[in-house]
Amino acid sequence: MASGEGKKSKDNASGEGKKSKANASGGAKKKEVKRETGLGLTNSKDENFGEWYSEVVVNAELIEYYDISGCYILRPWAMSIWEIMQVFFDAEIKKMNIQNCYFPLFVSPGVLQKEKDHVEGFAPEVAWVTKSGESELEVPIAIRPTSETVMYPYYSKWIRGHRDLPLKLNQWCNVVRWEFSNPTPFIRSREFLWQEGHTAFATKAEADAEVLDILELYRRIYEEFLAIPVVKGRKSEHEKFAGGLYTTSVEAFIPNNGRGIQGATSHCLGQNFAKMFEINFENEKGEKGMVWQNSWAYSTRTIGVMVMVHGDDKGLVLPPKVASYQVIVIPVPYKDADTKGIFDACAATVDTLSKAGIRAKADFRDNYSPGWKYSHWEMKGVPLRIEIGPKDLANSQVRAVRRDNSAKIDIPSAKLVEQVQEMLDNIQQNLFDIAKQKRDASVETVRTWDEFVGALSQRKLILAPWCDEEEVEKDVKARTKGEIGAAKSLCSPFDQPELPEGTICFASGKPAKKWTYWGRSY
Amino acid sequence: MASGEGKKSKDNASGEGKKSKANASGGAKKKEVKRETGLGLTNSKDENFGEWYSEVVVNAELIEYYDISGCYILRPWAMSIWEIMQVFFDAEIKKMNIQNCYFPLFVSPGVLQKEKDHVEGFAPEVAWVTKSGESELEVPIAIRPTSETVMYPYYSKWIRGHRDLPLKLNQWCNVVRWEFSNPTPFIRSREFLWQEGHTAFATKAEADAEVLDILELYRRIYEEFLAIPVVKGRKSEHEKFAGGLYTTSVEAFIPNNGRGIQGATSHCLGQNFAKMFEINFENEKGEKGMVWQNSWAYSTRTIGVMVMVHGDDKGLVLPPKVASYQVIVIPVPYKDADTKGIFDACAATVDTLSKAGIRAKADFRDNYSPGWKYSHWEMKGVPLRIEIGPKDLANSQVRAVRRDNSAKIDIPSAKLVEQVQEMLDNIQQNLFDIAKQKRDASVETVRTWDEFVGALSQRKLILAPWCDEEEVEKDVKARTKGEIGAAKSLCSPFDQPELPEGTICFASGKPAKKWTYWGRSY
């Protein structure tokens, strides 16, 4: 259930930043932020990416920093993106007969520790409740970092016969991972929102099929909604979900800093948890069997990836499909021009677009200039701006300006809906195309260690032939650690290039078994 | 933000069950429950209401008891009810320009303690995180029992001028109140789901108006969705939200045990929090002002009230508006009858109803008898059962059986949609009417202390003229404590009967100021 939000691979047990002094406020990364957006960014995406990101999420009013380090406030502008994705995903999983439920936030220590690899993966980051009011609890209680151990004792209770299968549940909830390495809004936070699906099947074949069905939904969230190209593939043994059988993921890439980022994960847990939690059933013939399980999740991390991929030096850039306002309409009055006429035209424009199902809003505030409003809504990433001034009014037209490429066109009022819809579709497609071009341009295929190191230092997304041995991955990590950050495997893409007989592993010189993406990553 | 889930009035500071040993598993009220539903209840609603309730919520598959006391698993059958109400309420508040957001689960102690009355109300039940992994936190961190103190420091930051007002936010989330008195599924649990709205206005008039607009939505949830009559009114000073100015609520009543139950609350916080958190703004004239705030919430408690009000000795009874299946279709094959024809007719019936927007499902399981299925779906409370047997098939009809009153009618296939819709509407109305009759029959108007005590011992919902003094309420509570449980004020209904000049308070003998409902309560 890593969902990218800090993968819980074997790494984590021996992970980073374990020793620390959590602090209610001391560690808080506070930012004194300009209250009004639209005044421009002080950082540049190309020059100081990290600072640029922190500034954009705040100035676009997605995030407010909170007085507890690693916790962030999701403001309405972020929440509406989350809700749009949620409506899509929730409807899709309901079509698959997956039902929503809600399990408790708290886990008792006995259950949490039942699956050994799993607890090793999560234990260092578990937050513990030890007191209520003034009383000490007899036994400390953990806050869920993910819900496998919360749920599966009940799967064991509910599943008796083959007719109880498949059992397919999902919940939308918050989880807590008290990480100490570089908290980053959306990308790595101590509390985050996600959905977590947990399913149990009679056969491995059914579980395998569902893993891919869900992964395809995650691809659609990234590619169709967020306009971000992703690679579908399988994680290495070293990087898979702690306690699971295998992990698949969609992997995105941030060209600006050359980091891979796990977008969402769909795990086959095999029968490991079933064994520990005794989730057995009797099949048609009266024989005892053990279930095959999956778990899968995507989180608010998706929003952070979107900011990183599409944002620019004017601020956020929202793909139309996830924008709560797709069109912002701004009146541009001029001296003795017909101000009322202009305002009415703006209102009528919003009305016409809204009736056509386009999410539009007019900014009628009288204490800001049109220019200020342009910057403000650019900062917030609204895909399309419509300006209406005296000339537009006279010519029965509106001026439309694209956020993604600043292209301006005049649209005759009679063709408003048709042309706005077309522009929004173009913006959505263009954002994806540009992101894909940049991502593809970052891919470098290597065959030797020297090429690998060269590509790594150039912040590339590296595709390399690999022997697929866990020790070799650990070795790659260790050998690259000193430089600009340790490399790890991102995934072995399902879509494999040809691997000619005799190809050798870039790192070990042993026979290569597959092509795998490597790089530094979030 | 009490939302009925354990009101946080002044009572709580000196509240019950403070001294305690929380226990991860020891205190858990475990139930070994028959796995298959539909086998009938062992308890009766009239004879042992508490046990009946615990049995219904489990057997109807709404709830599973969890291994941490006071925490419960919300199963899909409960979650779907919650989601139906959520869709309604979320759309309504969006029409009011209230936006969704998400604030962190954690609160630092400094902020939590800022409003004195507020923290006194909540402190005894706050759960504290003191450890992450193996490390002690430098400062313990609280888990939100409600989010006033989480949010308002940021309201102070975001609100500067009158143009920033109103600020109207809502979040759907979990909250934690580590209560020790009688955990009860839905009604009183240590973690629960709710929405909490937090709004700030320039004027008291706007705040006052919104309090009532929201209260009306809560009334609609209870009366239109859950078919439960409620009284709208104002809480006493003693029972109002800790730290607020005044609290309004919708109050329901459980005739079986004569207890009032606070259904949902809409609070005007006045300027108390604004003062503590310095939420100021500059008005049009450049003068400094302080905002007026509201907060309001309803929780999963709603589902528990529904179970208590409508359930019977066959199990749950769902009002059609919140039933995830409104109609269950059961094939009734018979010996050498045309089984395939019957099954096809069932599938066609579901199809026809679904296309008409009615939520229908067929139970085709071949390992259960029709009789077992009848009991099973009665236990789960599905409003309408349709049976199709050989005779129905021959006559091109279906047999429909109402869950609420067991009435049976034959519906010609040609009139299926029309008559099913009509029956569902009737069931919804009938449930409300019956509940209202029972509630109204429980109301007793009293004028003297003796009448009051008599009515209380008969488990009545008592309407009494009251002087509206806090000391008198405390006194009523103290004087009734020994008997079947202390009485308290529930609310002073907005819809006040006439109060003739000279009417005196039932408890103090002083001049009465208003009519107020009293009783024991959850």
Side-chain angles (χ1 to χ4, degrees):
Chain A
M1 195 60 35
S3 169
E5 204 85 24
K7 133 209 71 60
K8 286 297 138 300
S9 63
K10 298 180 189 167
D11 265 4
N12 271 66
S14 58
E16 324 123 89
K18 242 189 316 193
K19 178 104 207 90
S20 78
K21 293 288 177 187
N23 188 319
S25 57
K29 183 176 184 181
K30 275 186 198 156
K31 281 222 146 209
E32 211 30 73
V33 170
K34 295 181 202 122
R35 199 180 61 84
E36 305 284 22
T37 63
L39 305 176
L41 296 168
T42 59
N43 293 289
S44 145
K45 188 176 185 183
D46 287 338
E47 285 161 26
N48 37 4
F49 182 76
E51 291 77 4
W52 168 85
Y53 177 77
S54 302
E55 199 179 3
V56 169
V57 294
V58 171
N59 284 22
E61 299 177 326
L62 291 172
I63 281 284
E64 183 75 70
Y65 279 81
Y66 190 64
D67 79 336
I68 295 175
S69 176
C71 295
Y72 305 95
I73 298 161
L74 302 186
R75 301 185 69 178
W77 202 243
M79 214 47 206
S80 61
I81 299 170
W82 182 244
E83 287 180 355
I84 288 167
M85 296 188 288
Q86 187 173 24
V87 166
F88 162 75
F89 189 82
D90 199 67
E92 291 297 321
I93 61 175
K94 278 175 178 159
K95 286 183 208 162
M96 294 168 68
N97 293 318
I98 294 160
Q99 296 182 298
N100 284 334
C101 62
Y102 186 76
F103 279 74
L105 175 68
F106 297 116
V107 204
S108 53
V111 217
L112 185 68
Q113 286 149 10
K114 221 154 188 180
E115 212 293 334
K116 193 183 139 291
D117 287 341
H118 182 70
V119 72
E120 276 182 13
F122 285 99
E125 305 176 350
V126 169
W128 292 94
V129 175
T130 64
K131 258 179 71 177
S132 76
E134 295 295 313
S135 325
E136 295 288 320
L137 301 192
E138 258 182 27
V139 180
I141 292 173
I143 301 182
R144 63 178 166 221
T146 176
S147 299
E148 280 75 6
T149 59
V150 173
M151 292 182 170
Y152 298 166
Y154 301 90
Y155 280 45
S156 165
K157 181 171 184 183
W158 296 331
I159 297 168
R160 298 292 160 99
H162 62 98
R163 290 173 207 273
D164 301 320
L165 295 173
L167 177 60
K168 306 202 278 189
L169 299 180
N170 175 70
Q171 65 183 12
W172 296 93
C173 65
N174 55 345
V175 289
V176 172
R177 298 179 186 175
W178 209 262
E179 305 202 52
F180 296 105
S181 53
N182 287 330
T184 305
F186 298 118
I187 301 293
R188 188 176 292 274
S189 54
R190 286 178 170 172
E191 180 195 4
F192 55 90
L193 301 183
W194 75 354
Q195 60 64 223
E196 50 178 324
H198 294 266
T199 53
F201 300 89
T203 64
K204 180 164 188 298
E206 289 168 278
D208 286 339
E210 192 209 53
V211 164
L212 296 183
D213 289 343
I214 294 293
L215 197 67
E216 171 62 9
L217 294 181
Y218 292 151
R219 184 198 66 76
R220 292 181 62 191
I221 285 177
Y222 274 95
E223 300 202 334
E224 295 178 10
F225 283 78
L226 301 171
I228 295 168
V230 288
V231 175
K232 282 181 175 180
R234 182 167 164 151
K235 305 295 278 188
S236 69
E237 276 301 297
H238 193 62
E239 293 292 333
K240 75 177 186 185
F241 180 67
L245 179 61
Y246 66 87
T247 290
T248 68
S249 69
V250 289
E251 298 282 331
F253 184 74
I254 312 297
N256 291 73
N257 61 5
R259 291 221 213 172
I261 184 159
Q262 182 175 290
T265 44
S266 182
H267 314 290
C268 180
L269 304 179
Q271 297 184 308
N272 304 339
F273 287 89
K275 205 173 294 168
M276 292 306 140
F277 289 97
E278 299 173 47
I279 315 180
N280 304 312
F281 69 101
E282 207 176 85
N283 70 13
E284 291 87 339
K285 299 171 201 149
E287 302 157 348
K288 273 270 179 194
M290 201 178 277
V291 301
W292 292 86
Q293 291 180 276
N294 293 339
S295 74
W296 29 270
Y298 81 94
S299 76
T300 38
R301 161 174 280 204
T302 43
I303 300 171
V305 181
M306 180 202 74
V307 176
M308 289 185 170
V309 168
H310 300 305
D312 64 21
D313 287 352
K314 288 196 266 184
L316 187 63
V317 177
L318 288 172
K321 273 200 130 179
V322 294
S324 53
Y325 306 147
Q326 298 171 311
V327 179
I328 186 76
V329 179
I330 297 175
V332 190
Y334 185 74
K335 286 184 190 162
D336 29 285
D338 176 9
T339 302
K340 179 165 185 315
I342 289 173
F343 273 60
D344 289 349
C346 288
T349 300
V350 168
D351 197 48
T352 304
L353 294 174
S354 302
K355 282 186 181 137
I358 295 167
R359 298 188 288 269
K361 185 187 159 77
D363 185 346
F364 286 130
R365 288 178 288 179
D366 57 8
N367 57 324
Y368 294 112
S369 69
W372 186 93
K373 290 178 185 175
Y374 298 169
S375 306
H376 172 78
W377 294 106
E378 281 172 354
M379 178 66 74
K380 289 178 74 86
V382 172
L384 196 65
R385 174 171 84 233
I386 285 183
E387 307 166 5
I388 304 181
K391 203 182 118 220
D392 304 301
L393 196 63
N395 297 341
S396 292
Q397 66 181 30
V398 302
R399 161 151 291 199
V401 184
R402 284 171 60 157
R403 174 65 181 88
D404 61 330
N405 63 8
S406 305
K408 293 179 172 67
I409 66 161
D410 293 328
I411 302 180
S413 300
K415 293 197 165 177
L416 181 71
V417 168
E418 179 190 337
Q419 292 204 18
V420 164
Q421 190 56 64
E422 195 182 313
M423 288 181 86
L424 291 174
D425 293 345
N426 284 341
I427 294 168
Q428 184 79 30
Q429 187 60 48
N430 184 53
L431 286 173
F432 180 80
D433 291 344
I434 301 266
K436 189 161 185 309
Q437 280 162 26
K438 288 188 184 162
R439 198 272 315 267
D440 290 350
S442 299
V443 174
E444 189 157 323
T445 304
V446 308
R447 288 165 185 277
T448 66
W449 181 256
D450 284 351
E451 286 172 9
F452 179 81
V453 172
L456 192 65
S457 69
Q458 287 172 64
R459 302 172 184 277
K460 295 293 187 182
L461 174 54
I462 306 168
L463 187 60
W466 183 37
C467 63
D468 197 14
E469 290 182 11
E470 195 167 350
E471 286 310 310
V472 174
E473 175 158 13
K474 286 185 190 163
D475 188 50
V476 169
K477 204 160 187 172
R479 287 161 75 188
T480 52
K481 202 160 192 174
E483 312 177 40
I484 39 168
K488 59 187 182 191
S489 71
L490 305 173
C491 75
S492 299
F494 292 146
D495 188 7
Q496 284 275 317
E498 209 200 323
L499 188 72
E501 186 98 12
T503 306
I504 60 165
C505 170
F506 77 102
S508 69
K510 296 180 190 174
K513 291 203 184 120
K514 50 170 66 162
W515 290 94
T516 300
Y517 281 108
W518 296 78
R520 280 158 308 114
S521 89
Y522 276 99
Chain B
M1 194 61 31
S3 170
E5 204 83 27
K7 135 208 66 62
K8 286 298 140 295
S9 61
K10 297 179 189 170
D11 264 5
N12 273 65
S14 57
E16 324 125 87
K18 243 187 315 192
K19 179 103 207 89
S20 80
K21 294 286 176 189
N23 190 318
S25 56
K29 184 175 181 181
K30 276 187 198 153
K31 279 222 146 207
E32 210 31 74
V33 170
K34 293 178 205 127
R35 201 181 59 84
E36 305 283 22
T37 63
L39 305 176
L41 297 168
T42 58
N43 293 289
S44 145
K45 189 176 184 183
D46 287 337
E47 284 162 28
N48 37 3
F49 182 76
E51 291 77 3
W52 168 86
Y53 178 76
S54 303
E55 197 179 4
V56 169
V57 293
V58 172
N59 283 22
E61 298 177 325
L62 292 171
I63 282 284
E64 182 75 70
Y65 279 79
Y66 189 64
D67 78 336
I68 295 175
S69 174
C71 295
Y72 306 95
I73 297 162
L74 302 187
R75 301 186 70 177
W77 202 244
M79 214 47 207
S80 62
I81 300 170
W82 182 243
E83 287 180 356
I84 288 168
M85 295 189 287
Q86 188 173 23
V87 166
F88 163 74
F89 189 81
D90 200 66
E92 290 296 322
I93 60 175
K94 279 176 177 156
K95 286 184 207 161
M96 294 168 70
N97 293 315
I98 294 159
Q99 296 181 299
N100 284 334
C101 62
Y102 186 76
F103 279 73
L105 175 68
F106 298 117
V107 204
S108 54
V111 213
L112 185 67
Q113 287 149 10
K114 221 154 187 180
E115 213 292 335
K116 194 182 139 289
D117 286 341
H118 183 71
V119 72
E120 276 183 14
F122 285 99
E125 305 175 350
V126 169
W128 292 93
V129 176
T130 64
K131 260 179 71 177
S132 76
E134 295 294 315
S135 326
E136 294 288 320
L137 301 193
E138 258 182 26
V139 179
I141 291 173
I143 300 182
R144 63 179 165 221
T146 176
S147 298
E148 279 75 7
T149 60
V150 173
M151 293 183 170
Y152 299 166
Y154 301 90
Y155 280 44
S156 166
K157 182 172 183 183
W158 296 332
I159 297 169
R160 296 293 158 97
H162 61 98
R163 291 173 207 273
D164 300 320
L165 295 172
L167 177 60
K168 305 202 277 188
L169 299 180
N170 176 69
Q171 66 183 10
W172 296 94
C173 65
N174 54 345
V175 289
V176 171
R177 298 179 186 175
W178 208 263
E179 305 202 51
F180 294 105
S181 53
N182 285 330
T184 306
F186 297 118
I187 301 293
R188 187 176 293 273
S189 54
R190 285 178 171 174
E191 180 195 4
F192 56 89
L193 301 183
W194 74 355
Q195 59 64 223
E196 49 178 324
H198 294 267
T199 53
F201 300 89
T203 64
K204 180 164 188 297
E206 288 168 280
D208 286 339
E210 193 209 54
V211 164
L212 296 183
D213 289 343
I214 293 294
L215 196 67
E216 171 63 8
L217 293 180
Y218 293 151
R219 184 197 65 77
R220 291 182 63 193
I221 285 177
Y222 274 95
E223 300 201 334
E224 295 178 9
F225 283 77
L226 300 171
I228 295 168
V230 288
V231 175
K232 280 181 176 181
R234 183 167 163 149
K235 306 293 277 190
S236 68
E237 275 303 295
H238 192 61
E239 293 291 334
K240 76 176 184 185
F241 180 67
L245 179 61
Y246 66 86
T247 290
T248 68
S249 68
V250 290
E251 299 281 331
F253 184 73
I254 312 298
N256 291 73
N257 61 4
R259 290 222 216 172
I261 183 159
Q262 183 174 288
T265 45
S266 182
H267 314 290
C268 180
L269 304 179
Q271 298 184 308
N272 304 338
F273 287 89
K275 205 172 295 168
M276 291 307 141
F277 289 97
E278 300 174 45
I279 315 179
N280 304 311
F281 70 101
E282 207 175 85
N283 70 14
E284 290 87 338
K285 300 171 200 149
E287 302 156 349
K288 275 270 178 191
M290 201 179 275
V291 302
W292 292 86
Q293 291 180 276
N294 293 338
S295 74
W296 29 269
Y298 80 94
S299 75
T300 38
R301 161 175 279 204
T302 44
I303 301 171
V305 181
M306 180 202 75
V307 175
M308 289 185 171
V309 168
H310 300 305
D312 64 21
D313 286 353
K314 288 196 266 183
L316 187 64
V317 177
L318 287 173
K321 274 200 129 178
V322 295
S324 54
Y325 306 147
Q326 299 172 311
V327 178
I328 186 75
V329 179
I330 297 174
V332 191
Y334 186 74
K335 288 185 189 164
D336 30 283
D338 175 7
T339 302
K340 178 164 186 316
I342 289 172
F343 273 59
D344 288 350
C346 288
T349 300
V350 168
D351 197 49
T352 305
L353 293 174
S354 301
K355 282 188 181 133
I358 294 167
R359 299 187 288 271
K361 186 187 158 78
D363 184 346
F364 287 130
R365 289 179 288 180
D366 57 9
N367 58 323
Y368 294 112
S369 68
W372 187 94
K373 290 178 186 175
Y374 297 170
S375 306
H376 172 79
W377 294 106
E378 280 172 353
M379 178 66 74
K380 290 178 74 85
V382 172
L384 196 65
R385 174 172 86 233
I386 285 183
E387 308 165 4
I388 303 181
K391 202 182 119 222
D392 303 301
L393 197 63
N395 298 341
S396 292
Q397 66 179 33
V398 302
R399 160 151 293 197
V401 184
R402 286 171 59 157
R403 173 66 181 87
D404 61 330
N405 63 9
S406 305
K408 294 180 171 67
I409 65 161
D410 292 329
I411 302 181
S413 300
K415 293 198 166 179
L416 181 71
V417 168
E418 179 191 336
Q419 292 204 19
V420 165
Q421 190 56 63
E422 194 182 312
M423 287 180 87
L424 292 174
D425 293 345
N426 283 343
I427 294 168
Q428 184 79 30
Q429 187 61 48
N430 184 54
L431 286 174
F432 180 81
D433 291 344
I434 301 266
K436 189 160 184 310
Q437 280 162 26
K438 286 187 185 162
R439 197 272 316 265
D440 290 350
S442 299
V443 175
E444 188 156 325
T445 303
V446 308
R447 290 166 184 276
T448 66
W449 180 256
D450 284 351
E451 285 173 9
F452 178 81
V453 173
L456 192 66
S457 70
Q458 287 171 62
R459 303 172 184 276
K460 295 292 186 181
L461 173 55
I462 306 168
L463 187 60
W466 183 37
C467 62
D468 197 13
E469 290 182 13
E470 196 168 348
E471 286 311 308
V472 174
E473 173 157 16
K474 286 185 191 164
D475 188 52
V476 169
K477 205 162 186 172
R479 287 162 74 190
T480 52
K481 202 161 191 174
E483 312 178 39
I484 38 169
K488 60 187 181 190
S489 72
L490 306 173
C491 75
S492 299
F494 291 146
D495 188 9
Q496 284 276 317
E498 208 200 325
L499 187 73
E501 187 97 14
T503 307
I504 60 166
C505 169
F506 76 101
S508 68
K510 295 180 191 175
K513 290 203 184 117
K514 50 170 62 161
W515 289 94
T516 299
Y517 281 106
W518 295 78
R520 277 158 310 113
S521 91
Y522 275 99

